[in-house]
Amino acid sequence: MRLLTLLLCSLLTMAAQAATLTDSEIKLWIKTMPTLQGWLDEREDQLPDNDIPDADYSMDAAFARGIDQLREAGLYNQFSQQVKSAGFRSVEDWVRVSQQISMAYIAISMEEQPATRVEIENQMQAIRSAKNIPAEEKAMLENMLQASLNMLDSLANVTAADKDRVRPYLPQLVDQFGDNEE
């Protein structure tokens, strides 16, 4: 479930990312995230599996799937009440803010240890040409590397304005995202 929340906190469409984060959105998200995370954690067993097809995996797909899971479980309206009570306009608004904060946080983190597309593509080519790896394992490794490439693509679209807006809140975000790791 925490993976779902992290995913819900990382991705939406590029159109949604067009709006620059505000300090008030970031402060509100940091303040309310533990409560909203707790609400989601309490209902984890009610949510359907996160079955995004490997070929379609992207950050946007993961966020969209998270919203779909809430709907499928009949929890969307209840969660909508929670996010509105927390100060957000809608679940989609909360997801947009979550995605932008998460992506900016990851982009800032990656500035120190950048993973290059060439490195990942070289790893993928090595896996594809390896003769001693079973086909099923190759497919799994390729899917993981493709997810990494998709993440790099998403990170390339994080605006400098969002990174600049998020940077002062890194200590609180480290605490928040650190608490979400299992």
Side-chain angles (χ1 to χ4, degrees), residues 2 9 26 41 51 61 66-67 81 92 106 135 160 164 169 172:
R2 290 181 184 237
C9 297
I26 298 168
D41 286 348
D51 57 352
I67 292 172
Q81 290 173 349
E92 291 75 13
I106 294 168
D164 290 343
Y169 301 96
Q172 295 105 311

Side-chain angles (χ1 to χ4, degrees), residues 128-156:
R128 287 179 178 152
S129 63
K131 305 233 184 279
N132 60 342
I133 300 175
E136 186 175 298
E137 187 176 339
K138 274 187 184 184
M140 179 193 70
L141 292 170
E142 285 183 35
N143 288 335
M144 288 172 38
L145 290 172
Q146 186 59 53
S148 296
L149 290 172
N150 292 344
M151 173 65 88
L152 287 177
D153 291 342
S154 295
L155 291 175

Side-chain angles (χ1 to χ4, degrees), residues 157-174:
N157 293 314
V158 175
T159 66
D162 278 354
K163 288 191 276 188
D164 290 343
R165 195 67 83 176
V166 165
R167 209 174 295 278
Y169 301 96
L170 286 178
Q172 295 105 311
L173 293 172
V174 167

Side-chain angles (χ1 to χ4, degrees), residues 1 31 39-40 42 45 49 53-54 77 83 87 101 104 108 114:
M1 180 60 187
K31 177 182 172 189
W39 189 94
L40 289 167
E42 289 171 6
D45 59 337
D49 290 335
D54 291 332
N77 289 338
V83 297
I101 290 171
I108 292 167

Side-chain angles (χ1 to χ4, degrees), residues 19-174:
T20 300
L21 285 168
T22 65
D23 284 326
S24 62
E25 287 175 324
I26 298 168
K27 289 176 184 175
L28 179 63
W29 189 87
I30 290 170
K31 177 182 172 189
T32 61
M33 189 57 187
T35 301
L36 295 173
Q37 175 68 55
W39 189 94
L40 289 167
D41 286 348
E42 289 171 6
R43 288 147 184 87
E44 179 177 3
D45 59 337
Q46 298 175 41
L47 295 170
D49 290 335
N50 190 11
D51 57 352
I52 299 172
D54 291 332
D56 296 334
Y57 186 83
S58 70
M59 297 300 268
D60 293 337
F63 273 107
R65 180 65 186 134
I67 292 172
D68 289 344
Q69 287 177 302
L70 288 170
R71 285 190 173 110
E72 289 172 28
L75 297 172
Y76 179 88
N77 289 338
Q78 292 173 34
F79 191 62
S80 179
Q81 290 173 349
Q82 294 294 313
V83 297
K84 287 177 181 177
S85 293
F88 294 93
R89 290 185 300 272
S90 65
V91 171
E92 291 75 13
D93 181 46
W94 176 78
V95 168
R96 176 193 61 82
V97 171
S98 296
Q99 179 181 356
Q100 286 182 257
I101 290 171
S102 299
M103 294 303 291
Y105 172 81
I106 294 168
I108 292 167
S109 299
M110 294 293 290
E111 289 173 350
E112 295 176 12
Q113 297 177 345
T116 67
R117 176 172 289 284
V118 172
E119 291 170 348
I120 295 170
E121 288 171 347
N122 287 343
Q123 289 174 354
M124 191 170 308
Q125 185 58 38
I127 289 168
R128 287 179 178 152
S129 63
K131 305 233 184 279
N132 60 342
I133 300 175
E136 186 175 298
E137 187 176 339
K138 274 187 184 184
M140 179 193 70
L141 292 170
E142 285 183 35
N143 288 335
M144 288 172 38
L145 290 172
Q146 186 59 53
S148 296
L149 290 172
N150 292 344
M151 173 65 88
L152 287 177
D153 291 342
S154 295
L155 291 175
N157 293 314
V158 175
T159 66
D162 278 354
K163 288 191 276 188
D164 290 343
R165 195 67 83 176
V166 165
R167 209 174 295 278
Y169 301 96
L170 286 178
Q172 295 105 311
L173 293 172
V174 167

